Amino acid sequence: MAQAAVRTATSIDQGKGDERPWVGRSIERVEDAALLSGRGRFIDDLGVQPGTLHAAILRSPHAHADILAIDTEAAMRLPGVAVVLTGRQVKAVTSSLVVGVKAPVECWPIAIDRVRYVGEPVAVVVATDRARAEDALELISVEYRPRAVIVDPLGALAPEAPLLHDGFPRNLASDRTFRYGNPEQAFADVPHRFSIDVKYPRNSCTPIETYGVIASHDAAEDAFDILANFQGPFSIHTVIARALKVPGNRLRLRTPPDSGGSFGVKQGVFSYIVLIAAAARVAGRPVKWIEDRLEHLTASVSATNRAVTLSAAVAVDGRILALDWDQVEDCGAHLRAPEPATLYRMHGNMTGAYDIRHVRIHNRVVVTNKTPTGLNRGFGGPQVYFALERLVQRIAIGLDLDPLEVIRRNLVPANAFPYRTATGALLDSGNYQEAIASAVEQGQLAELRARRDEARAHGRLYGIGFTAVVEPSVSNMGYITTVLTAAERRKAGPKNGAQATATVGLDPVGSVTVHVASVPQGQGHRTVLSQVVADVFGLEPKDVRVNAEIDTTKDAWSIASGNYASRFAAAVAGTAKLAAERVAGRLARIAASQLNVEPADIVFAKGFIASRHNPENRIAFSRVAALGHWSPGSLPDDVGQTIRETMFWTPPELTSPDDEDRINSSLCHGFIFDFCGVEIDRTTLETRIDRYVTMHDCGTILHPGMVDGQIRGGFAQALGAALYEEYAYADDGSFLMGTLADYLLPTTTEVPEPQIIHMETPSPFTPLGAKGVGEGNCMSTPVCVANAVADALGLADVTLPLVPARLAELVRGAEPPPPSGRSTARPARQGDRRLRGEGLAFVKGAPEQVWAMLLDPATLQSVIPGCQRVDKISETHFRADVTLGIGPVTGRYRADVELFDPDPPHAVTLRGAAHGALGFGSAQGRITLAPDGKGGTHLTYSYDAAIGGKVASIGGRLLDGATRAIIGQFFAALARKAGGGAAGRFSRFSWLTKLAGLFGGRR
């Protein structure tokens, strides 16, 4: 029987007696004391072995280019530099990473002869400290030959598109078609067909703590010891060991006590584990690497972007009879394990919360010149539900029905659970109708609708959005094999399950310790596990010590272990309960023999083991628990050891895909129903959340306060995806979101307080009846907000993120060009990382004098900001070395500048290119010199520049001002050289050697 109630961290603890179990209470978190007092132990806080070296990574400024030559001699000569590794050296000591599909394609943690995305590692410097390693990066000279670039997943399939990998013809890594039921007949028979085209954008997790790796190699044992803030899954342990060319028992992978968030993304650190471990092997000393924020944004991993065409066969009453999915998944430049898992994790759930029996699916996976993708909170759910729930609203509008009524008419019936979906998922429990009714009542939907009517009556833009989604959790390890055909799966052997591991131990004084193979990323593992085990043993949570660190050489773990797919409450905590119950069963038999009662009469309560019928007949828990250490010979013969119990648990409901490609891709299926009201400012087109209501059924709630915290965290992240966050790339593959000034994240001032409503339908498949809850709003909130915005503006199509500029184009059309005749120096639109401008400047000196100065290397070196050296190759060809800083970026660049169409001393066209450690640029400008009649010179100019690399990544909000500043510096120096006077705003040699080179750089 479903139980519905509004539960919060405070209300759940009221009105119950002392006998209530610890599970279900919002007790104080064990983790918070250290974290809130600054005593957390994160990877960069931990000490390292004496002699540990530090690594810095040189990254490609190009999205696609051949590496013609790498000169590392100058870097190697820098004092303190121990090793400089390029792709060739790394390849010599490693093997290719596993590619996610069967194809003749290699995948390395560093570029081998060719780069395929901006930020791809090209070289690694290992030195005595990080600063010295970074200095050495600038001394490495790389010669690239750029190739054509493709960033659009649909364009990647075109016959003329540039090819990223020979083993992926037409950039197609996988192409599979699935059919369930009789979708063709369903579409032929229904009166209505509705379709929607969706391009779901890239976004990512942005944890406070970035990647970190400390690796050492024991040459005598040929073994690696690696500390990394890795979240799992531990299937990647096998991938790492294979890449490092060692058996699994010679790869020790450890995690620090604390991790500053992950939300999935820290699974992606595994390629850097291989890279830094290879560096440690070559250097012969431990190597430490901590990723900076720009590296993380540019080149860690992101969620996939997906192009979807979704069609529905719909009856006159709004019932959906069939779905036709056409999905093109963009996994970036390399298909790294476990991809294309993002596409297939939801395969069993393609009908969402709806009773739809006919489905057709066409899945294609492509590669593009973008960062490789990986785990990300929601992991495939946002992409699926944005298309499905937008289509539901489109159906409602097309049939002139209430969107909520269309949702209700299509829900899985309440009496149908466990319910098998058309594509194979087994929905374990739920009552979606009751959940929606409760949310509508408690969330006061009627009042919100009245609010919308009143706002519209006053001419305001107000809309309401709905969404209903199933939240899968505890992934079936076998779902990824759905990418293979049935014949390929039979050849490869079965893969399935979701094994979880927990160990419960008793020490010689009777204390309880719990260890689990699940690395916490903020979920409160230690608190919840202490509650679960305390209930089994009749103790208080403070009596139970929990260790969630991982050491693969000492701890029990499985290939499916790890903290992913919202598996902690359902699988990990449940397994700890089972392990504790096994120990408790043995202790009960020991106590029964001492208390002279039957084992069935034994209870655990208040620190004692006692007779259920005579509570005074009891013995201290610690005394019985310690007996296995002090007097094992006195234990009853049938008890066995009581010191430690390790439990491996996997649910039988998770089987391999069948021959018809049906797959129960997850064990548990929570339910979420959201609705919200939004108002859009008519002037700014900024979206404001007026009210957000979210109903969750996550089965048994273990810790109400933390469940609400997980929901709030997921809601905040989802709001970022809806309104702010997007990994944007220029047409040349340059990454445009390299700082948190460009990749916008919501802060506490932008995130409203959602109204959280709970309903509990315990899962029959998990030991505690719990289901996952941490990812759901990342699936439901983006489309709920989008539906509300579409309702407010009367739009048929909306694209995330719903930034004001995008809404302005939808509502008002394209922005008109600026008025002519004015000096401009501004970046072009997003997606076109170019600078164009024109303007005027004044120098005290005749044109002939200025002309001569511009052709004199010594003068140029003295007036170009940051110039170290200028070499005159010919009368019209110069080379320069400059060091340039823009905001947080400073770098050294080599520039080539040539003069064309000279009309001395009146005009000249300059063309050039520059490149630095992480940037490149090219530019052309026309300069005109005219006497002012007073001994001075008027300069007029126009220019066009293209940039790439690090400054292109961080420069969205800096380029305009930085360009003007550098131009000003050049003219101020030129004016002083010419005899003083006012400085203008632009130079061309400065612009060429600088602006062209300026757009790349390093910290």
Side-chain angles (χ1 to χ4, degrees), residues 344-403:
Y344 283 92
R345 185 238 180 159
M346 297 291 296
H347 195 80
N349 303 102
M350 299 303 289
T351 52
Y354 305 124
D355 182 20
I356 303 170
R357 304 313 305 168
H358 307 286
V359 181
R360 183 168 56 210
I361 302 171
H362 184 197
N363 284 344
R364 286 170 288 176
V365 179
V366 300
V367 289
T368 62
N369 293 114
K370 291 186 282 196
T371 307
T373 59
L375 273 63
N376 199 285
R377 196 175 194 170
F379 199 39
Q383 293 89 333
V384 166
Y385 288 126
F386 190 83
L388 181 57
E389 295 299 300
R390 285 290 299 126
L391 182 60
V392 169
Q393 187 184 60
R394 179 76 64 83
I395 292 169
I397 294 171
L399 297 179
D400 197 23
L401 295 172
D402 180 353

Side-chain angles (χ1 to χ4, degrees), residues 274-566:
V274 174
L275 186 59
I276 302 305
R281 179 174 195 147
V282 174
R285 289 164 62 181
V287 176
K288 177 178 179 179
W289 171 74
I290 301 294
E291 180 186 53
D292 70 22
R293 179 61 61 185
L294 176 55
E295 288 180 297
H296 185 81
L297 287 169
T298 305
S300 58
V301 294
S302 73
T304 59
N305 54 295
R306 185 179 300 176
V308 179
T309 297
L310 176 60
S311 302
V314 184
V316 291
D317 62 353
R319 284 274 295 125
I320 304 171
L321 302 182
L323 292 175
D324 187 349
W325 291 89
D326 188 342
Q327 304 185 105
V328 178
E329 185 88 331
D330 179 359
C331 286
H334 299 286
L335 204 66
R336 290 179 182 160
E339 293 290 28
T342 307
L343 183 60
Y344 283 92
R345 185 238 180 159
M346 297 291 296
H347 195 80
N349 303 102
M350 299 303 289
T351 52
Y354 305 124
D355 182 20
I356 303 170
R357 304 313 305 168
H358 307 286
V359 181
R360 183 168 56 210
I361 302 171
H362 184 197
N363 284 344
R364 286 170 288 176
V365 179
V366 300
V367 289
T368 62
N369 293 114
K370 291 186 282 196
T371 307
T373 59
L375 273 63
N376 199 285
R377 196 175 194 170
F379 199 39
Q383 293 89 333
V384 166
Y385 288 126
F386 190 83
L388 181 57
E389 295 299 300
R390 285 290 299 126
L391 182 60
V392 169
Q393 187 184 60
R394 179 76 64 83
I395 292 169
I397 294 171
L399 297 179
D400 197 23
L401 295 172
D402 180 353
L404 180 54
E405 187 56 33
V406 174
I407 289 173
R408 282 175 161 147
R409 292 179 185 180
N410 285 284
L411 292 172
V412 171
N415 61 357
F417 294 93
Y419 171 88
R420 183 74 68 177
T421 69
T423 53
L426 185 62
L427 307 186
D428 45 333
S429 65
N431 187 329
Y432 302 165
Q433 292 79 3
E434 183 179 334
I436 289 178
S438 179
V440 165
E441 178 184 356
Q442 296 182 51
Q444 299 179 301
L445 177 59
E447 188 271 339
L448 189 65
R449 282 174 162 161
R451 218 158 161 173
R452 176 180 64 180
D453 295 342
E454 180 184 1
R456 289 180 173 180
H458 289 85
R460 287 150 49 202
L461 300 174
Y462 196 106
I464 295 177
F466 302 92
T467 189
V469 309
V470 168
E471 177 181 5
S473 56
V474 189
S475 290
N476 180 355
M477 190 174 62
Y479 76 84
I480 185 57
T481 64
T482 314
V483 72
L484 305 175
T485 65
E488 290 171 332
R489 291 195 296 267
R490 284 191 291 270
K491 184 178 180 180
K495 293 180 177 61
N496 62 274
Q499 192 158 253
T501 311
T503 298
V504 174
L506 306 175
D507 68 15
V509 295
S511 301
V512 180
T513 300
V514 180
H515 181 270
V516 292
S518 177
V519 182
Q521 308 289 327
Q523 296 93 333
H525 282 32
R526 293 169 59 198
T527 302
V528 174
L529 289 170
S530 70
Q531 292 176 271
V532 170
V533 174
D535 276 342
V536 174
F537 290 138
L539 304 174
E540 296 187 18
K542 65 182 179 62
D543 299 325
V544 180
R545 178 76 171 173
V546 177
N547 183 351
E549 299 172 55
I550 284 290
D551 183 335
T552 58
T553 61
K554 297 191 298 181
D555 301 326
W557 60 280
S558 163
I559 197 170
S561 298
N563 182 15
Y564 61 101
S566 294

Side-chain angles (χ1 to χ4, degrees), residues 58-189:
L58 179 67
R59 298 179 181 273
S60 168
H62 297 277
H64 201 191
D66 295 313
I67 300 174
L68 302 181
I70 304 179
D71 185 353
T72 63
E73 288 188 14
M76 282 297 302
R77 289 196 300 267
L78 188 70
V81 171
V83 170
V84 179
L85 290 91
T86 64
R88 298 291 177 88
Q89 285 87 20
V90 173
K91 185 176 181 180
V93 296
T94 63
S95 296
S96 169
L97 300 172
V98 172
V99 178
V101 296
K102 300 291 185 183
V105 171
E106 294 183 335
C107 178
W108 301 89
I110 189 171
I112 310 290
D113 299 327
R114 183 173 169 190
V115 296
R116 292 177 172 87
Y117 65 95
V118 169
E120 183 166 15
V122 173
V124 181
V125 173
V126 179
T128 52
D129 58 76
R130 174 66 178 254
R132 203 174 300 266
E134 291 187 359
D135 288 344
L137 292 181
E138 293 207 340
L139 301 177
I140 300 174
S141 177
V142 184
E143 184 181 353
Y144 296 98
R145 180 172 59 208
R147 288 175 173 247
V149 170
I150 185 69
V151 294
D152 176 59
L154 297 179
L157 293 169
E160 67 276 10
L163 194 65
L164 269 70
H165 301 270
D166 292 339
F168 289 153
R170 292 182 57 213
N171 297 312
L172 191 61
S174 175
D175 188 344
R176 285 225 61 198
T177 300
F178 306 87
R179 180 180 176 276
Y180 306 94
N182 192 346
E184 296 82 5
Q185 189 65 45
F187 274 96
D189 292 344

Side-chain angles (χ1 to χ4, degrees), residues 916-979:
L918 288 175
F920 64 91
S922 61
Q924 181 166 308
R926 183 68 176 175
I927 304 295
T928 302
L929 308 176
D932 66 353
K934 302 177 182 178
T937 300
H938 284 296
L939 286 83
T940 60
Y941 60 86
S942 62
Y943 62 89
D944 189 332
I947 60 168
K950 192 174 239 184
V951 170
S953 297
I954 71 156
R957 297 172 186 268
L958 296 172
L959 284 176
D960 185 28
T963 300
R964 294 176 185 274
I966 291 169
I967 288 167
Q969 293 172 25
F970 177 86
F971 273 104
L974 187 63
R976 287 193 299 270
K977 270 290 191 190

